[in-house]
Amino acid sequence: MSQGTEQVEESSNIADSVLDQIEDWYHVPALALLLGFMLWVRLQSYDRFIVNGEVFFSGNDAWYHLRQVQYTVNNWPATMPFDPWTFYPFGTSVGQFGTLYDQLVATAALIVGLGDPSQKTVALTLLVAPAVFGTLVAIPTYFVGKRLGGRLGGLFGVLVLVLIPGEFLRRGLVGFSDHNIVEPFFQTLAVLAMMVAVSVAERERPVFELLADRDFDSVRRPLGYSVLAGIATALYLWTWPPGVLLIGIFGVFFLLKLTADYVRGISPDHLAFVASVSMGVTGLLLFVPLGTVSFSATKFSLLQPFMAFAISVGAGFMTWLAREWDDRDLSTALYPVAIFGILAVGTLVVYVALPRLFGLIQTNLVRFVGFNAGAAQRTIGEAQPFLQSGQSLASAVIPQYGLTFFTAIIGALVMVWRSVSADEHQAEKLLVLVWAAFITAAAFTQVRFNYYLAVPVAVLNAYLLGWVLGFVGFDSSSREAIQNVEIYQVLAVVFVIMLVIPGLVMPVQVGNTRTATATQMGNSTAPGDVTQWDGTLNWMQTNTPQEGNYGGAGNSMKYYGTYTEDDGDYDYPKGSYGVMSWWDYGHWITVEGERIPNANPFQEGAITAANYLLAQNESEANQILNTLGDKSEQTRYVMVDWKMVETRGRSGNAKFFAPTVFNKNVSQSTFTDYIVLGQNQYIVQHKQPYYESMMVRLYQYHGSAVEPKPIVLDWNSQSYRQNGQTLSYKTAPPNATVVKKFDTMQEAREYVKNDPTSQIGGIGPYPSERVPALEHYRVVKESQSQATQDPSHVQILRQRLGLLQQAGATGQDYFRTSPSWVKAFERVPGATVKGTGPANTTITASVQMKADTGSTFTYTQKAKTDGNGEFTMTVPYSTTGYDEWGTEKGYTNVSVRATGPYEFRTPTKAGGDGFQFTNGTAQVSEGQVLGENDNPVTVSVDQQQTIPVEGANNSTGNDSAGPTMPGNGTNGNSSAGNGSVGNNSTGNESNSLPSPASPLTRVGLVGAYAATLVVARRD
């Protein structure tokens, strides 16, 4: 043989060796490339979550995970057993938090921080955790897909997972640091482990007698994989206790498969061996995190091990019954009848003997896979049904999955068809089908569970591709097949792959919605509203007393202390206090404000919050708070943002209606109605109960009394028939304006009296009747971030102000107070004012207040003198002594302070060319408002001279002090140097919003209105 020939042979051998290596390992670099792309997509917006060195998160629950992770870092590996820093005055133990997820993140933070990570290091670790876990989901997905469709099928399944832009991607983006995305990782791992275990059992056919005889060598592999499947299932439940649904899925699978095997003449012993061992191991491991000896689906309770042991014992029973059936030579066809009959009897026994357990299982089964959402769930955006009313299947599915959802259905149908036509009865395929069916039901019941459904969609597409490759005779594991590939085989593969392209690689139009690609979604995430709350919450940390020291009580509560549960009602020390707000904001208050909210995103305290925020008078609201705890457990602060009082806007921007779901005495129609202006155009008509609600009186008026204005909403009523009933709706009157302006209240009332399809007020801040002042609430902080930084809110304001302009009204007092994004209020005893004046006369007290943002407003309150000319009132705002009662004394360092004393006036009366009035002034100290000084404020309202006023006879008859616009130094006028928009034409509306980095900026919402200026500076 010549040297040249040897070199050629050697080169050929090297080439073959290289090809062999590529053939054996090509999937590794391909998988690594896909994983790298997944991680990059999920980390694109990383910089947006770090603002001025502070780490932010998106959503609500991520913030509570930050608290849990920091606690675990401080006390590794222990998680928080009980937390009194939320759900005041009870505290809580929430099993979905402080779980394996938080331990894993805490462990990573300890490693990154070399055993002593800073709080920022902990926060950054949690920040990127969802992106990492979201990427890791691809690994078990690949192996599941590989088992179903080969290596190419597994890679294709991962490709589908990479490109899916819906909930699965959103939950795995940087900053979305909830436990959501880690759930599909551990669930898929558990399903993979169970697939391997049942496949091994089908091959090696283990039986229980081998264990009884201690013949471990014969059952080593089935036993080992069954134990691993049990461990993997327990890890999933350690991450998310409500994941007990997976145990139910395994139970249904084993019930169907064991029954079917026996009918087909196959012993159920082998798979029952896996069921009993795996679920027995799961049940034992679930005792490790056991937190309560009751039954609960949301906490580590007896429910999880009970369900696991029930399946373990049930599988063993089915095996025993099958043997008894054989011994008695009973008909095989009767075996399923007996099994399901026994199951029905067992269900009845649980229903009778353990009704609470039965109700718990039934409720959660309906809640998770019942295709129905309760009213409370519908207030949670992520818990709403996948298909909204009137929405088509395509418009819901394609933005989530493109066409891969439909190809997954094809893959499932092929799998079923193959099991019937080709006698393919592999247990692992039935397991995937049962799993996919339940997860699909869960996803259509609650939209959030689509982050689970992404994996079954991916693996069913993997199976479909593998089947197509086999159908056309293409063997991806054979080099010869690849070298001799036919054109039709290539076209078949290309056809399947092209099915995933629309909606995933390139956007498509679906109805009125344009889909987004994974890359686009990954580059569009940001922290959200918490950045607008941040300044006020930071202010709360340093300008309100520490928990335990309100009123100078001198107690303290460790923020990361270890507390134990006291029968679900923690005994708070004197000087602790609660902060009332809607439950959405509870975790922000706990973590960012380091104060204790009454309600939180676990929906704990939601009913109390709803009842308080919608309360129609101050005494009712105070009674709700007073009955929560004892005298030493009081709620001292209330936080309200503009969304809580908004009734119109995109989902999440109008939260006023959310409390109506929890308050059983009211509905949306109690507070609002709608007037149709045209196609897809309407305005919200506010009823008087809207203006009487506590959250509106606080946010819109800062507790001040409000008089109605001579502004009237006018409409026509039109009827239509539906389902045999005559219904009506309101429309704009033809050739007339919806809003009418009158010169006097008498004229307005006369018009409404003669026109039943009209009402006084009902738009913007204008009530139909007088709203009395609050006596025990004062605003102590306005955020510098403004509601006008939300473009959708600006659009709503424009419409309302435009309607007022059409009626000839001005927008001068539209903003009774500054439209700050969020406002904090303090509940105080109030100062008692005792005064004298003309007998049987209404006295109006007013004081101008100024916030540190520069905005001002006037608080007014009224009282009537008796026959002796005496009156008494309680006022919540002080005018002096602020520096004497700060946080060091256990009180609030208020940022809203008076610009002068209270002024007391009698009603104005038209007389000649002017008004005759009497007045007096008085200072109210901070100590008197806080109840530290019991001395009443005294004032004498003396008669004064007649003041000529031009145009006095054109008075509207309103007694109240004129409104003061935000940022204005005097009523109704722009501050010097700030400029006036009063002379702008109606065509000069400004839509610009301030730059986040800009200094104090004023934004004209509608140029036609003088003094409609708002402060728009971000914190």
Side-chain angles (χ1 to χ4, degrees), residues 192-410:
L192 173 63
M194 191 63 75
M195 290 173 67
V196 175
V198 297
S199 297
V200 170
E202 282 186 318
R203 288 197 307 268
E204 302 196 8
R205 299 180 180 275
V207 292
F208 291 103
E209 284 79 4
L210 294 174
L211 279 181
D213 295 339
R214 299 186 179 183
D215 187 3
F216 296 113
D217 289 339
S218 299
V219 294
R220 180 175 54 84
R221 280 171 52 82
L223 179 62
Y225 283 113
S226 296
V227 170
L228 288 176
I231 293 173
T233 304
L235 289 175
Y236 168 64
L237 287 167
W238 282 3
T239 303
W240 195 53
V244 69
L245 176 66
L246 180 62
I247 295 180
I249 293 173
F250 287 156
V252 171
F253 158 70
F254 283 117
L255 176 67
L256 296 176
K257 183 61 176 172
L258 295 179
T259 305
D261 279 353
Y262 182 78
V263 172
R264 292 172 51 238
I266 300 174
S267 172
D269 286 46
H270 318 308
L271 292 184
F273 179 92
V274 175
S276 294
V277 172
S278 63
M279 291 297 96
V281 170
T282 297
L284 290 173
L285 290 176
L286 288 173
F287 280 117
V288 175
L290 188 68
T292 176
V293 293
S294 62
F295 289 99
S296 172
T298 59
K299 299 179 180 180
F300 291 111
S301 70
L302 293 177
L303 177 65
Q304 290 85 2
F306 173 83
M307 292 284 289
F309 287 137
I311 294 173
S312 178
V313 173
F317 172 79
M318 290 181 69
T319 299
W320 172 83
L321 185 63
R323 293 182 180 183
E324 291 294 315
W325 220 259
D326 288 338
D327 292 343
R328 288 167 173 75
D329 197 23
L330 298 176
S331 172
T332 303
L334 294 178
Y335 181 79
V337 177
I339 288 295
F340 286 100
I342 292 171
L343 184 63
V345 172
T347 302
L348 181 61
V349 170
V350 174
Y351 174 77
V352 175
L354 298 169
R356 295 185 63 183
L357 175 60
F358 180 87
L360 177 67
I361 295 174
Q362 181 189 45
T363 299
N364 282 277
L365 191 63
V366 172
R367 180 174 169 232
F368 283 108
V369 295
F371 296 94
N372 184 37
Q377 283 179 247
R378 291 175 185 268
T379 66
I380 309 173
E382 63 181 19
Q384 294 182 0
F386 188 26
L387 288 178
Q388 300 294 325
S389 179
Q391 187 179 23
S392 67
L393 180 64
S395 63
V397 167
I398 292 179
Q400 290 277 346
Y401 304 103
L403 296 179
T404 59
F405 177 81
F406 302 105
T407 54
I409 293 176
I410 295 173

Side-chain angles (χ1 to χ4, degrees), residues 311-507:
I311 294 173
S312 178
V313 173
F317 172 79
M318 290 181 69
T319 299
W320 172 83
L321 185 63
R323 293 182 180 183
E324 291 294 315
W325 220 259
D326 288 338
D327 292 343
R328 288 167 173 75
D329 197 23
L330 298 176
S331 172
T332 303
L334 294 178
Y335 181 79
V337 177
I339 288 295
F340 286 100
I342 292 171
L343 184 63
V345 172
T347 302
L348 181 61
V349 170
V350 174
Y351 174 77
V352 175
L354 298 169
R356 295 185 63 183
L357 175 60
F358 180 87
L360 177 67
I361 295 174
Q362 181 189 45
T363 299
N364 282 277
L365 191 63
V366 172
R367 180 174 169 232
F368 283 108
V369 295
F371 296 94
N372 184 37
Q377 283 179 247
R378 291 175 185 268
T379 66
I380 309 173
E382 63 181 19
Q384 294 182 0
F386 188 26
L387 288 178
Q388 300 294 325
S389 179
Q391 187 179 23
S392 67
L393 180 64
S395 63
V397 167
I398 292 179
Q400 290 277 346
Y401 304 103
L403 296 179
T404 59
F405 177 81
F406 302 105
T407 54
I409 293 176
I410 295 173
L413 293 175
V414 170
M415 193 179 292
V416 173
W417 171 70
R418 290 290 296 171
S419 69
V420 175
S421 64
D423 199 27
E424 294 180 356
H425 297 288
Q426 294 100 324
E428 63 179 357
K429 291 181 179 177
L430 178 61
L431 174 59
V432 169
L433 286 173
V434 173
W435 174 48
F438 271 93
I439 297 303
T440 300
F444 276 79
T445 300
Q446 295 188 33
V447 66
R448 61 178 165 187
F449 290 127
N450 280 276
Y451 62 78
Y452 276 107
L453 184 56
V455 179
V457 165
V459 299
L460 286 172
N461 274 279
Y463 171 79
L464 179 63
L465 179 64
W467 176 78
V468 170
L469 292 175
F471 183 78
V472 299
F474 181 80
D475 184 2
S476 61
S477 63
S478 170
R479 189 193 314 166
E480 291 75 13
I482 296 175
Q483 292 172 341
N484 299 320
V485 64
E486 300 290 341
I487 186 64
Y488 74 90
Q489 295 173 324
V490 175
L491 291 175
V493 174
V494 170
F495 172 74
V496 174
I497 294 176
M498 285 298 293
L499 287 176
V500 310
I501 299 301
L504 297 185
V505 176
M506 51 189 179

Side-chain angles (χ1 to χ4, degrees), residues 580-581 612-613 618 621 625 637-641 644-645 690-704 706 771-772 774-780 782 816-818 823-827 857 876-877:
M580 175 59 71
S581 189
Y612 173 85
L613 295 170
E618 187 174 10
L625 298 182
Y637 297 91
V638 184
M639 301 188 77
V640 185
D641 73 351
M644 291 168 61
V645 301
Y690 168 82
Y691 297 100
E692 300 280 0
S693 66
M694 280 296 291
M695 56 181 164
V696 172
R697 294 168 74 177
L698 290 170
Y699 183 88
Q700 294 279 30
Y701 312 129
H702 292 180
S704 175
V706 181
V771 178
L774 299 177
E775 298 180 340
H776 302 285
Y777 293 87
R778 61 177 181 175
V779 61
V780 291
E782 298 177 354
R816 301 296 180 92
T817 58
S818 170
K823 302 177 184 182
F825 302 85
E826 184 180 15
R827 181 186 175 204
F857 67 93
Y877 289 96

Side-chain angles (χ1 to χ4, degrees), residues 109-123:
L110 284 166
I111 294 172
V112 172
L114 302 178
D116 187 23
S118 65
Q119 289 189 347
K120 185 174 181 179
T121 298
V122 173

